[in-house]
Amino acid sequence: MDKQNSKYRWIVFTAVLFTYFLIVSQRTAPGLITDQLMKDFNVSASTIGLLTSIQFLAYASLQIPIGILSDRYGPNLFLIAGALLNGLGTLIYSAAPNEFVLLVSRALVGMGDATIWVNLVLILGQWFRVKEFVGLLGFAGMAGSLGFLLATYPFSAWIAWSGWRPPFFTVGILLCLCGILLYVVLVKRPNQLFKGHPEAVLQSEQERVRTFLMLKRIFSDRQAWATFFCHFGLVGTYVGFIGSWAVPYGMQMYGMSRSEVSQLMMIGLVGAIVGASLTTWIANRLESIKRPYMVVHLVVLVSWIAFLVFGGKPPFFMLAVLFFIIGYGNGASALTFAAVRQSFAMREVGVVSGFANTGGFISAILLPSIYGKVLDHFQPVSSGAGYTYGFIIPVVFAALGVMGGFLLREQRKESSKASGMSV
């Protein structure tokens, strides 16, 4: 039985996407309790920025190593280990007695999270045909957006009802169970069904490119850098802001409650869900990744500029629209990996996907930390000046994303075939 024609591949798809859904929720869920952590642990805005950044630092620093190891040894082991590590970190976070343990737990979560997306891309590449790949990336992006959605009003309501520790403890348990589920779905059951098709066959039949030479070529490749900056501009700005400062921003600038801000964040996540599915569909229809992606980058840049134009406090209706557009851009970032899959040989997809993903999370590292320092500089925070000047950061980052879009080369079907991929 062939993996890419089996019905079992949809079980793999469902298990992997459910795990991704839960893991993504833990990227931004801590942002819901920013003010509570500052109060409970008596820490500054800069420390909260560091708390967010340490998770994304662990994530970003491991992307390329994970890509190399996953290309060489296969993605299954790393996806399983990542789910377990993420669950363990979330459990420790739920019981943290001080800020040091909080930092360690978020580092563990970041390390686990680092294994997920690159290996998800590789697993979809193994189990599904190339012509199905772009559309399925859109569904994967939707699963991630639903994970972010879980970390808004539903999680906020849960926190309001039970306090912040029980929700994180429960999700930690679920993630550990997901690790066990992935072992059964990705390793144990396929070994029974596909005995004649071990995962390592493709690896052993193809000549390996030496790691150093491969990295040297990738780091000097314009297309790789284009995907890096595309992700830098769309993902980090959204995740970095939502995951750290969106809740205090809404509470202090608009006098909203935590629940009301979480509902506003849901608007952005609806945008992300729409962006993931609609933009990949448009790209398929146009047979072009660059054109729709450039439009998305430019519109997101204009949206961040709007925050500056209105002094950090646009009218509420416009604020909702801006959150939707910025969320749409985050969902549309799935096109980054469609471009990677289309532009590089399969043996390099893991490494280049990791490199591109690093771009998004370097900006997610930098934004919360810099934003926190700006807020600390413009005390008191309630004056709003810190938030106003803080929006310069996502504007600059989004502009780098536009640059990435300009650098992106359109890859036609002939180019894909030349790379050894059938379309």
Side-chain angles (χ1 to χ4, degrees), residues 286-296 408 410 412:
L286 296 177
E287 295 187 350
S288 168
I289 291 174
K290 179 168 182 171
R291 283 181 287 163
Y293 213 13
M294 273 301 305
V295 172
V296 170
L408 196 68
E410 195 72 85
R412 300 300 178 186

Side-chain angles (χ1 to χ4, degrees), residues 4 125 128-135 283-289 338-346 410-423:
Q4 296 189 346
F128 294 90
R129 296 182 290 274
V130 174
K131 66 181 181 181
E132 300 172 315
F133 189 76
V134 175
N284 268 332
R285 293 281 293 179
L286 296 177
E287 295 187 350
S288 168
I289 291 174
V340 171
R341 179 67 174 87
Q342 192 183 72
S343 305
F344 294 89
M346 192 62 198
E410 195 72 85
Q411 301 291 319
R412 300 300 178 186
K413 291 183 179 181
E414 293 78 14
S415 299
S416 297
K417 290 177 181 177
S419 297
M421 296 177 283
S422 60
V423 179

Side-chain angles (χ1 to χ4, degrees), residues 37-100:
L37 293 179
M38 293 175 72
K39 180 180 179 181
D40 291 352
F41 295 95
N42 193 28
V43 294
S44 67
S46 295
T47 302
I48 293 295
L50 175 63
L51 187 62
T52 302
S53 296
I54 196 71
Q55 176 180 346
F56 296 136
L57 176 61
Y59 183 107
S61 63
L62 288 173
Q63 285 302 286
I64 294 174
I66 290 294
I68 294 170
L69 293 171
S70 298
D71 279 337
R72 175 163 296 185
Y73 298 109
N76 295 339
L77 172 65
F78 295 99
L79 194 68
I80 294 164
L84 293 173
L85 196 57
N86 208 296
L88 176 63
T90 304
L91 286 173
I92 294 173
Y93 185 80
S94 71
N98 54 56
E99 61 269 28
F100 175 75

Side-chain angles (χ1 to χ4, degrees), residues 110-131:
M111 291 168 64
D113 197 359
T115 70
I116 302 305
W117 181 256
V118 170
N119 290 293
L120 182 152
V121 170
L122 289 173
I123 286 171
L124 293 187
Q126 289 180 351
W127 286 87
F128 294 90
R129 296 182 290 274
V130 174
K131 66 181 181 181

Side-chain angles (χ1 to χ4, degrees), residues 125-166:
Q126 289 180 351
W127 286 87
F128 294 90
R129 296 182 290 274
V130 174
K131 66 181 181 181
E132 300 172 315
F133 189 76
V134 175
L136 292 177
L137 274 183
F139 281 107
M142 288 176 63
S145 298
L146 289 171
F148 284 127
L149 190 63
L150 174 65
T152 56
Y153 183 74
F155 219 72
S156 177
W158 192 0
I159 290 169
W161 176 71
S162 66
W164 66 270
R165 293 184 186 272

Side-chain angles (χ1 to χ4, degrees), residues 289-326:
I289 291 174
K290 179 168 182 171
R291 283 181 287 163
Y293 213 13
M294 273 301 305
V295 172
V296 170
H297 276 284
L298 289 168
V299 172
V300 169
L301 173 60
V302 170
S303 298
W304 284 117
I305 290 173
F307 281 99
L308 280 179
V309 171
F310 286 92
K313 191 177 181 180
F316 186 79
F317 173 77
M318 181 181 290
L319 180 69
V321 173
L322 293 175
F323 266 67
F324 179 88
I325 293 173
I326 293 164

